[in-house]
């Protein structure tokens, strides 16, 4: 009896302790055009999953790198591999708001318009299924249930976020923070685009959604190509990353490893991973407060983000936000590797 009471008290203390930790965690919604490694969204999710600073309230998918069906199928499998299949997944937009498939879109990187069934992810399709609630409905409900508390990490086209903003008038003022991987800012170093000369992929896929989102008044931390270009994932770093064996490094060996087998001397940028890391440790990046807006005219600058220190004619609706442009690469990659190598739950 005494033993049982003692055990019960220990349990009570443990639960209280767990709750105390839970209260300290940063609740996030992870919105992603997810694809398995070597693509960046999956490595960004690995970092988030392996970081006790976060409470991942849900993962929402969107068309971008690939179709939304592929994003959903791959993320469900990733959560199983990471031992966190309990995190709910919600299916989001399968097309941008306005942008239509063009010959240029087909030639360039990205497969957001695809209607092909998703290929089998490493290890086979997940047992786990997506929730029946839509991503937009979930995002709105989750934010409105905890006003001022949730951070949204948006690392794909901003289609779901723009729809959530439009769906609920009080949504924008109820989001604590929105961390976006997207855009390229010519006013800062390394600000060229990666799809068109000046437009970055996520913003270019859904420029209208990017504009609605940036103009919404949600406090934004922007992680554009300027800061991505300060990263350099080489074969040496990759080998350090996979030196410890766990299901995540096994997956990286199987996927990211192929890149370095084919092109051992090449280095790769990291994008979404930096956006996630900057929430855990804001001192990893240097930012400047800029007014940022997105061009939605169907001309040569479609999808281009423009940032300025002062508002300029035509940018009267632009909001000020933190724009990352410099990265402490050695500290970032050390942190990334250390987290990926931690034991899985
Ligand atoms: Ca992405």
């Amino acid at each position: 009896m005494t033993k049982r009471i003692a055990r019960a008290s220990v349990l009570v203390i443990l639960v209280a302790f767990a709750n105390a930790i839970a209260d300290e965690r940063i609740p996030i919604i992870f919105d992603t055009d997810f694809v398995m490694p070597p693509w960046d969204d999956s490595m960004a999710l690995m970092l988030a999953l392996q970081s006790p600073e976060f409470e991942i309230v849900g993962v929402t998918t969107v068309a971008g790198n690939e179709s939304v069906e592929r994003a959903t199928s791959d993320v469900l499998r990733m959560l199983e591999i990471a031992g966190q299949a309990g995190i709910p997944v919600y299916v989001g937009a399968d097309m941008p708001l306005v942008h239509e498939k063009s010959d240029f879109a087909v030639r360039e990187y990205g497969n957001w318009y695809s209607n092909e069934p998703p290929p089998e992810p490493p290890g086979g399709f997940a047992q786990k299924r997506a929730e029946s609630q839509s991503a937009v409905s979930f995002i709105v409900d989750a934010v409105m249930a905890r006003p001022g508390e949730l951070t949204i990490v948006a690392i794909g086209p901003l289609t779901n976020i723009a729809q959530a903003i439009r769906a609920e008038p009080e949504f924008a003022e109820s989001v604590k923070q929105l961390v976006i991987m997207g855009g390229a800012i010519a006013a800062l170093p390394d600000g060229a685009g990666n799809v068109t000369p000046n437009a970055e992929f996520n913003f270019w896929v859904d420029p209208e959604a990017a504009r609605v989102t940036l103009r919404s008044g949600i406090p934004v931390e922007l992680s554009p190509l300027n800061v991505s270009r300060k990263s350099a994932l080489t074969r040496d770093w990759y080998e350090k990353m996979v030196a410890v064996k766990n299901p995540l490094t096994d997956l990286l060996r199987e996927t990211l490893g192929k890149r370095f087998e084919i092109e051992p001397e090449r280095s790769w940028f990291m994008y979404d991973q930096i956006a996630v890391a900057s929430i855990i440790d804001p001192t990893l990046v240097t930012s400047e407060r800029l007014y940022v807006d997105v061009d939605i005219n169907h001309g040569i600058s479609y999808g281009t983000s423009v940032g300025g220190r002062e508002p300029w004619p035509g940018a009267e609706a632009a909001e000020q936000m933190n724009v990352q442009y410099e990265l402490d690469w050695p500290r970032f990659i050390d942190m990334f590797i250390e987290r990926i190598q931690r034991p899985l739950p």
Side-chain angles (χ1 to χ4, degrees):
M1 196 64 170
T2 325
K3 236 184 204 173
R4 209 180 282 166
I5 290 168
R7 239 183 250 155
S9 329
V10 168
L11 194 64
V12 167
I13 291 165
L14 280 178
V15 168
F17 184 64
N19 285 341
I21 293 174
D23 292 342
E24 303 269 308
R25 292 186 303 167
I26 303 164
I28 62 170
I29 295 173
F30 198 91
D31 186 71
T32 170
D33 56 337
F34 195 91
V35 194
M36 278 289 180
W39 307 114
D40 55 332
D41 292 72
S42 47
M43 290 198 268
L45 183 58
M46 286 182 186
L47 175 60
L49 290 167
Q50 292 286 93
S51 296
E53 291 86 351
F54 294 125
E55 171 201 356
I56 305 177
V57 177
V59 176
T60 52
T61 57
V62 64
N65 289 311
E66 294 285 343
S67 68
V68 75
E69 291 80 11
R70 169 121 187 231
T72 308
S73 166
D74 276 8
V75 83
L76 288 166
R77 177 66 190 134
M78 181 78 241
L79 290 171
E80 279 187 355
I81 292 171
Q84 300 209 38
I87 296 174
V89 174
Y90 302 85
V91 184
D94 67 349
M95 281 292 283
L97 298 179
V98 178
H99 196 170
E100 290 174 351
K101 181 180 170 181
S102 62
D103 292 345
F104 178 79
V106 173
R107 274 200 313 278
E108 282 298 313
Y109 169 76
N111 208 17
W112 42 276
Y113 43 80
S114 171
N115 289 317
E116 296 293 310
E120 195 170 288
F125 289 106
Q127 298 290 314
K128 180 183 165 58
R129 291 278 164 264
E131 307 298 313
S132 55
Q133 188 180 13
S134 76
V136 173
S137 159
F138 164 73
I139 292 169
V140 170
D141 284 357
V143 165
M144 297 316 292
R146 298 167 76 172
E149 286 182 34
L150 290 196
T151 292
I152 301 175
V153 183
I155 56 174
L158 292 162
T159 323
N160 293 336
I161 310 305
Q163 290 186 81
I165 291 165
R166 286 284 162 89
E168 167 54 58
E170 290 178 19
F171 176 81
E173 65 194 61
S174 305
V175 177
K176 183 180 183 195
Q177 191 189 24
L178 175 59
V179 180
I180 299 171
M181 191 282 131
I185 304 296
L188 296 169
D190 295 315
N194 62 356
V195 180
T196 73
N198 288 325
E200 175 276 336
F201 179 79
N202 286 343
F203 280 16
W204 177 81
V205 170
D206 200 338
E208 289 79 11
R211 188 164 99 162
V212 166
T213 303
L214 294 195
R215 288 183 173 195
S216 69
I218 301 175
V220 169
E221 176 82 22
L222 192 66
S223 193
L225 290 179
N226 305 71
V227 72
S228 319
R229 289 184 171 123
K230 303 304 192 303
S231 63
L233 181 59
T234 59
R235 190 190 173 104
D236 284 352
W237 288 114
Y238 158 74
E239 279 170 1
K240 275 186 194 137
M241 199 181 290
V242 298
V244 170
K245 189 176 161 50
N246 70 27
L248 298 182
T249 58
D250 284 349
L251 178 65
L252 290 172
R253 229 176 281 115
E254 191 184 328
T255 51
L256 182 59
K258 284 199 188 110
R259 268 189 176 173
F260 292 108
E261 270 171 37
I262 297 164
E263 294 180 281
E265 301 306 319
R266 182 168 167 187
S267 79
W268 298 81
F269 292 135
M270 296 172 87
Y271 305 89
D272 301 338
Q273 303 95 323
I274 297 169
V276 172
S278 72
I279 309 171
I280 302 168
D281 183 356
T283 70
L284 291 173
V285 295
T286 309
S287 306
E288 191 174 334
R289 296 283 294 170
L290 294 181
Y291 294 87
V292 183
D293 206 354
V294 181
D295 192 339
I296 60 164
N297 294 302
H298 290 251
I300 55 172
S301 295
Y302 188 49
T304 296
S305 48
V306 183
R309 289 171 186 94
E310 299 293 336
W312 63 98
E316 288 79 11
E319 295 277 348
Q320 236 183 343
M321 57 198 69
N322 284 336
V323 181
Q324 304 175 357
Y325 65 94
E326 196 59 72
L327 173 72
D328 188 337
W329 164 254
R331 270 206 308 128
F332 161 77
I333 191 66
D334 278 345
M335 178 223 246
F336 183 84
I337 292 173
E338 187 271 323
R339 301 271 168 140
I340 296 300
Q341 293 180 341
R342 286 184 185 183
L344 269 57

